[in-house]
Amino acid sequence: MKFYQSGPLKGEIAVPGDKSISHRSVMFGSIARGTTEITGFLQGADCLSTISCFRKMGVEIENTPDAVLVHGRGLHGLTAPESVLDCGNSGTTTRLISGILAGQTFSCTLTGDASIQKRPMKRIMEPLGMMGAQIRSVNDNSCAPLAITGSPLHGIHYHSKVASAQVKSSILLAGLYADGKTQVTEPALSRNHTEIMLRFFGADVTSEGCTASILPAEELYGQKITVPGDISSASYFIAAALLVPGSELLIKNVGINPTRDGILRVCKAMGADIALQSAVYDRGEPVADLLVRHSSLKATEISGELIPTLIDEIPVIAVMACAASGTTVIRDAAELKVKESNRIRTVVDNLKAMGAHIEETDDGMVIEGGYPLHGGLIESHLDHRIAMSFAIASLIAEGETTIQNADCVNISYPSFYEDLERLKH
Ligand code: S3P
């Protein structure tokens, strides 16, 4: 797909529903009693993989234009799937579902696409194994396909080496089926949508600092859920408005949970003009409209506890750093290497192809800003966030930018290119 430098972006945009919250609403709805009604559900390929997995386990899920209705089967009502559960490209589906499957009374196998089959699963196999789960990597390489045989589970206190909401959530979900309290302590707080939403479904979940605890549940109860716009999807429009002179965008209804809003804090540190409007809480999740105006940006340093709050936004932050004055340093972000692609490598290689002054480090990157970008050949590596980040980079690059396999945006934002086009003036 070809892209060109753009004039100002103007107008209003409502980005699709939050991916993390959409996954969780279907998962928790499936193991709850009664119907869960979800509005604003993200109709991206990843979340559709979650729906398809639970349908295979006997859950009736109606996906209508108005709402997704999940007719939950209760905590012990899932049935053995007749075929392999296909998680597609979705790490969230693979890791969270594993926690649920660990506590069932049947066996099944789950797998996914080529990228999923390379992503590390030891991080969930180890703690779930400590809880008594029988979970085996079919190819003995600590990756999917995973064969899981449901077993009686016991509570543990797990100290995770990585700040990962997928790891934390997998363990907490297994904890619903355990014989005692389950706790997870992580090195920095990762997104807490599981803790917030499970509480509304009736689970006994508490959080203190970087430790989340859950008690075994008798039953969860179906809920009404309104999914806020995804701040990760909004980040592309935030960056576009900040980068392209003359731009002003109102991005409506964005989830600004503090465990996800690192992009806003970084933009502020870079001197961005972003105003929050109409902020409200909806079932524990803060939501606001963001008014973003073109700004001249300055470099910043990003590390430590901030990293998990913006982990998926680092590719587009790197693009912004190219236009900022000074040198931006991103550290403590080794997790980027095990995302849908090695995002340190794919960001650095692609930005170099556009003329950026950027170097890869062991756990991040160093970007010397202020050198104009030019068009280039961009390989998305079938990674949706790489494709979207470079569509934004093209807006300020001279000449033509070609993004290969650009349609991988279907994973999290099927209408991304149409929405971007509509805002160009
Ligand atoms: C997610 C957690 C993050 C994030 C992913 C979605 C979630 O992954 O990168 O896009 O929904 O829990 P990790 O938990 O592996 O950091």
Side-chain angles (χ1 to χ4, degrees), residues 63 69 85 221 238 265 354 365 399 418:
N63 192 353
L69 300 175
L85 296 177
Y221 299 94
I238 294 173
R265 286 182 264 160
M354 297 182 82
M365 53 195 90
E418 291 84 343

Side-chain angles (χ1 to χ4, degrees), residues 19-20 24 92 95 123 163-166 191 311-312 339:
K19 183 154 77 71
S20 297
R24 287 158 173 79
T92 307
R95 297 199 178 107
R123 52 181 60 198
S164 160
Q166 293 180 358
R191 64 191 68 191
I311 189 73
D312 292 339
K339 294 295 179 187

Side-chain angles (χ1 to χ4, degrees), residues 92-124:
T92 307
T93 309
T94 311
R95 297 199 178 107
L96 269 62
I97 238 179
S98 297
I100 294 175
L101 293 173
Q104 303 305 311
T105 50
F106 54 79
S107 303
C108 66
T109 304
L110 70 165
T111 192
D113 67 8
S115 154
I116 273 294
Q117 292 189 36
K118 285 196 222 124
R119 296 183 66 187
M121 293 299 151
K122 188 165 171 224
R123 52 181 60 198
I124 54 153

